[in-house]
Amino acid sequence: DGGITQSPKYLFRKEGQNVTLSCEQNLNHDAMYWYRQDPGQGLRLIYYSQIVNDFQKGDIAEGYSVSREKKESFPLTVTSAQKNPTAFYLCASSIEATSGVTYEQYFGPGTRLTVT
Amino acid sequence: QKEVEQNSGPLSVPEGAIASLNCTYSDRGSQSFFWYRQYSGKSPELIMFIYSNGDKEDGRFTAQLNKASQYVSLLIRDSQPSDSATYLCAVNLGDSGAGSYQLTFGKGTKLSVIP
């Protein structure tokens, strides 16, 4: 059963604590992405990775960090430096883009993070 | 400013009617266009993708792309109450460099199908 898993589904943390969100895929996709979605807003790209051991900042990377040590895994750490961390976090994966063509991204179920 | 614009809605259509969702984008160089459906509290689900000008049909869904006018639309025929959701348009904005495979998402159009 191929897909993307994210855990946990809901996460509650106190302000000032770092928290790591898990994302695993068994689709054999090279590219993986992290997005953030706020109520009534579109998805905003936090970080992306095209291959293992390489990742790039997206539009809103400040206060976040990632790693890509395995093809299947792309964890996201929300650090205490992120000023407004409460949001719905979505992980996605896709076949790596080639010749200017961007392929479809598939999303995991998401993690809803609440920081108080 | 690189943008993907959608009317936020809500768009209300009666059951059985055609729902028409529109999306405009800012970059003439864009080549990949996607429509996602997102139910409340859930993650986006891919409905269709289109790369070439014209229409692409899949069941009750038709994507229409007009690169000259920089818009892409999604038609839903025989709309059902289960189609009620927010529909997100996504486009690869940017030049042919490293960022060209990134997707920029619109804020979505909320569709309500009335029984």
Side-chain angles (χ1 to χ4, degrees):
Chain A
D1 191 19
I4 304 174
T5 57
Q6 292 185 243
S7 61
K9 187 174 182 179
Y10 298 96
L11 190 55
F12 298 89
R13 280 292 182 270
K14 294 289 186 183
E15 192 173 321
Q17 293 179 334
N18 292 354
V19 60
T20 298
L21 281 59
S22 168
C23 177
E24 304 276 336
Q25 56 97 2
N26 61 6
L27 300 169
N28 199 34
H29 285 167
D30 288 304
M32 297 187 73
Y33 313 82
W34 274 105
Y35 293 91
R36 166 182 174 143
Q37 187 175 37
D38 295 283
Q41 300 296 313
L43 278 66
R44 292 184 290 168
L45 183 65
I46 304 173
Y47 268 98
Y48 59 92
S49 169
Q50 290 180 276
I51 56 172
V52 174
N53 293 322
D54 185 60
F55 48 84
Q56 304 295 328
K57 293 182 178 180
D59 299 323
I60 56 165
E62 185 176 350
Y64 300 97
S65 65
V66 294
S67 63
R68 186 85 187 275
E69 298 177 0
K70 297 187 299 182
K71 186 176 184 177
E72 303 79 20
S73 179
F74 191 40
L76 173 74
T77 296
V78 184
T79 75
S80 57
Q82 168 50 231
K83 295 178 181 176
N84 297 295
T86 295
F88 188 37
Y89 289 88
L90 290 157
C91 178
S93 70
S94 72
I95 298 171
E96 185 181 359
T98 58
S99 302
V101 176
T102 300
Y103 295 101
E104 62 273 23
Q105 295 181 14
Y106 296 93
F107 286 84
T111 292
R112 201 167 294 276
L113 173 64
T114 301
V115 177
T116 58
Chain B
Q1 184 77 12
K2 298 173 181 175
E3 295 180 338
V4 176
E5 299 284 348
Q6 295 182 255
N7 188 322
S8 62
L11 172 66
S12 295
V13 300
E15 183 175 355
I18 296 175
S20 178
L21 305 162
N22 299 311
C23 171
T24 59
Y25 58 94
S26 59
D27 185 4
R28 285 192 173 275
S30 297
Q31 296 188 42
S32 305
F33 307 86
F34 305 86
W35 282 100
Y36 287 84
R37 177 175 62 198
Q38 186 175 24
Y39 292 113
S40 180
K42 303 295 185 182
S43 63
E45 171 191 11
L46 179 71
I47 297 177
M48 293 192 69
F49 57 87
I50 185 168
Y51 300 130
S52 303
N53 271 331
D55 295 359
K56 180 181 179 182
E57 187 175 316
D58 184 1
R60 295 187 297 113
F61 300 97
T62 298
Q64 299 176 319
L65 175 60
N66 184 323
K67 290 186 178 180
S69 299
Q70 296 176 232
Y71 81 79
V72 56
S73 61
L74 179 70
L75 301 179
I76 306 175
R77 290 182 300 280
D78 189 24
S79 295
Q80 301 297 309
S82 59
D83 294 326
S84 297
T86 296
Y87 289 80
L88 305 176
C89 172
V91 180
N92 74 316
L93 299 179
D95 55 25
S96 58
S100 63
Y101 55 84
Q102 294 179 36
L103 291 184
T104 298
F105 286 79
K107 294 183 179 180
T109 297
K110 187 172 184 178
L111 173 66
S112 180
V113 180
I114 312 300

